[in-house]
């Protein structure tokens, strides 16, 4: 099975930027859809960005124009570049397949992003 590990979260002021990294222990080449999800306090986990094997992307309306997802199949990584961060972006961010669970991928620890002034 493929294991994913998120990193790059932290505390940032509104308007700031963070770059999140999702590192896979195995190849993600055969996995068509990869995504970044987030779960804010008291809210359901939601998909915020997705990317296909050949680079087609989709974004939740709430992050469109501010976040950019990318993947490097050779390095087995998925990146989420977050710019112009807002208070409502505060959440634990997770990476997983689209839909979740392909290749045995389970939810990891995630990485906490806190946007606060």
């Amino acid at each position: 099975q493929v294991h994913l590990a998120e990193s790059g979260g932290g505390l940032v002021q509104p308007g700031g930027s963070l770059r999140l990294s999702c590192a896979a222990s195995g190849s993600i080449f055969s996995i068509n859809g990869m995504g970044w999800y987030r779960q804010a306090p008291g809210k359901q986990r939601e998909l915020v960005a997705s990317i296909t094997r050949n680079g087609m992307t989709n974004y939740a309306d709430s992050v469109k124009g501010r976040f950019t997802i990318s993947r490097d199949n050779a390095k087995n990584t998925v990146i989420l570049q977050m710019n112009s961060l807002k208070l409502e972006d505060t959440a634990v961010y997770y990476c997983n397949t689209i839909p979740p669970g392909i290749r045995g991928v389970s939810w990891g620890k995630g990485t906490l992003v806190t946007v606060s002034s």
Side-chain angles (χ1 to χ4, degrees):
Q1 66 273 26
V2 173
H3 298 278
L4 304 178
E6 304 94 342
S7 63
L11 175 64
V12 65
Q13 297 184 64
S17 298
L18 282 174
R19 181 180 181 271
L20 306 184
S21 179
C22 173
S25 63
S27 176
I28 60 170
F29 180 80
S30 64
I31 303 174
N32 185 53
M34 296 291 297
W36 281 95
Y37 303 75
R38 70 184 181 188
Q39 187 167 27
K43 297 183 179 179
Q44 295 283 332
R45 181 151 43 201
E46 63 175 338
L47 178 65
V48 298
S50 64
I51 185 167
T52 64
R53 183 166 50 229
N54 58 6
M56 295 179 61
T57 59
N58 277 288
Y59 300 91
D61 288 342
S62 60
V63 308
K64 194 170 298 181
R66 300 187 297 117
F67 291 10
T68 302
I69 188 171
S70 61
R71 67 190 284 177
D72 188 330
N73 294 322
K75 294 182 178 180
N76 298 315
T77 58
V78 184
I79 302 298
L80 185 67
Q81 178 66 48
M82 306 186 297
N83 300 323
S84 302
L85 284 161
K86 303 176 179 180
L87 297 179
E88 52 264 43
D89 293 320
T90 295
V92 177
Y93 285 72
Y94 305 86
C95 59
N96 211 312
T97 58
I98 310 292
I102 294 176
R103 297 283 298 278
V105 172
S106 60
W107 297 107
K109 297 178 180 179
T111 186
L112 176 63
V113 172
T114 302
V115 184
S116 177
S117 60

